[in-house]
Amino acid sequence: MIDAINSSLFSPIGEDGMIGILLILNGLKVTLIVTFFAMLLGAVLGIGTTFMKMSSKWYIRFPANLYVGVIRGTPVVVQLVILYFIVLSALDVDKITAAIIAFGLNSGAYISEIIRAGIQAVDKGQTEAARSLGLSQAMTMKSIILPQAVKNILPALGNEFIVLLKETAVIGFIGGVDLMRAGEIIRSRTFEDSVPLFTCALIYLFLTYSFTFVLSKFEKRLKQSD
């Protein structure tokens, strides 16, 4: 077992002299970069899509509903492959940027539903009371509805981040070297299955449990402020 660990993680695994653990760490960096920036892009798209879906005008709601329906109705790996090999094929877009765009588009659809649910969870009587006091719809949303909705939204956004982190494991389908792809490269070069794959699994497990722990602490602080 020690020999397998040494040959997979701490010895050169190819003619390029790459050390396995360095490849794993580089893959981890790519995974975290894609996850972070895709979440930011998804948040921007999610906010915009939410307000489009809540519009009273059908021609504004329709593209938002179509976007959410298509994204939620197709696998993320299919979206990633179509975006990179078809939509962006004529452009000089690197794999990491393409992955950020693809996962950002995917996350935006789910974030829009999270935000919409958080807004709708606020008692409608508060909107009616605010409007009866002369507040405009925009002021009511900004000053009364959104501050309350944020407490419902933030824990769900944290869960979306964790889901997104795990979904990025398919970046290898477009040739990107993320954490999972790094493990596959080590496995293919050393013919050792257990060490690289379990190493990747343990890293994913550590990351998800760490973010879950931070999220649970944050949720407790939110409850204490109620």
Side-chain angles (χ1 to χ4, degrees):
M1 186 62 182
I2 295 177
D3 290 339
I5 294 174
N6 182 61
S7 63
S8 298
L9 301 180
F10 301 107
S11 302
I13 57 172
E15 296 179 357
D16 54 6
M18 175 61 73
I19 305 297
I21 190 64
L22 296 180
L23 185 61
I24 290 283
L25 292 176
N26 287 333
L28 174 61
K29 181 177 71 173
V30 170
T31 293
L32 293 175
I33 288 173
V34 171
T35 303
F36 178 75
F37 286 104
M39 190 69 183
L40 289 181
L41 176 59
V44 173
L45 292 173
I47 292 170
T49 303
T50 298
F51 288 107
M52 289 177 67
K53 292 189 69 172
M54 295 177 67
S55 173
S56 59
K57 299 177 176 61
W58 72 268
Y59 52 85
I60 296 179
R61 294 196 309 271
F62 177 76
N65 288 327
L66 180 64
Y67 160 61
V68 172
V70 169
I71 293 298
R72 295 181 70 184
T74 54
V76 65
V77 64
V78 175
Q79 298 163 17
L80 175 65
V81 171
I82 289 176
L83 184 76
Y84 183 72
F85 289 109
I86 299 177
V87 178
L88 300 177
S89 60
L91 304 175
D92 187 20
V93 177
D94 62 88
K95 296 178 177 64
I96 294 179
T97 302
I100 290 172
I101 295 172
F103 288 109
L105 288 170
N106 180 272
S107 185
Y110 290 94
I111 290 176
S112 72
E113 292 298 287
I114 291 171
I115 296 174
R116 184 177 63 85
I119 292 174
Q120 291 180 342
V122 178
D123 189 356
K124 292 182 179 180
Q126 298 192 40
T127 301
E128 296 171 357
R131 296 304 300 275
S132 67
L133 292 174
L135 294 180
S136 66
Q137 183 174 355
M139 284 298 297
T140 301
M141 181 64 69
K142 177 183 177 181
S143 302
I144 296 177
I145 305 301
L146 287 181
Q148 298 180 71
V150 164
K151 290 187 177 182
N152 299 325
I153 291 170
L154 287 180
L157 287 179
N159 290 328
E160 171 61 21
F161 182 84
I162 293 171
V163 170
L164 184 61
L165 173 68
K166 293 184 288 185
E167 286 181 339
T168 57
V170 300
I171 294 176
F173 277 85
I174 62 171
V177 184
D178 66 316
L179 177 58
M180 185 61 200
R181 179 59 179 163
E184 284 292 318
I185 292 173
I186 295 172
R187 187 181 68 83
S188 66
R189 290 184 179 185
T190 64
F191 303 103
E192 172 61 46
D193 297 328
S194 301
V195 173
L197 295 182
F198 275 112
T199 299
C200 291
L202 288 173
I203 293 174
Y204 277 117
L205 191 63
F206 173 77
L207 290 173
T208 54
Y209 266 90
S210 297
F211 288 127
T212 301
F213 176 78
V214 172
L215 183 60
S216 65
K217 292 294 184 182
F218 185 67
E219 288 182 19
K220 289 180 180 178
R221 292 193 63 179
L222 286 178
K223 290 180 180 178
Q224 289 175 358
S225 64
D226 286 342

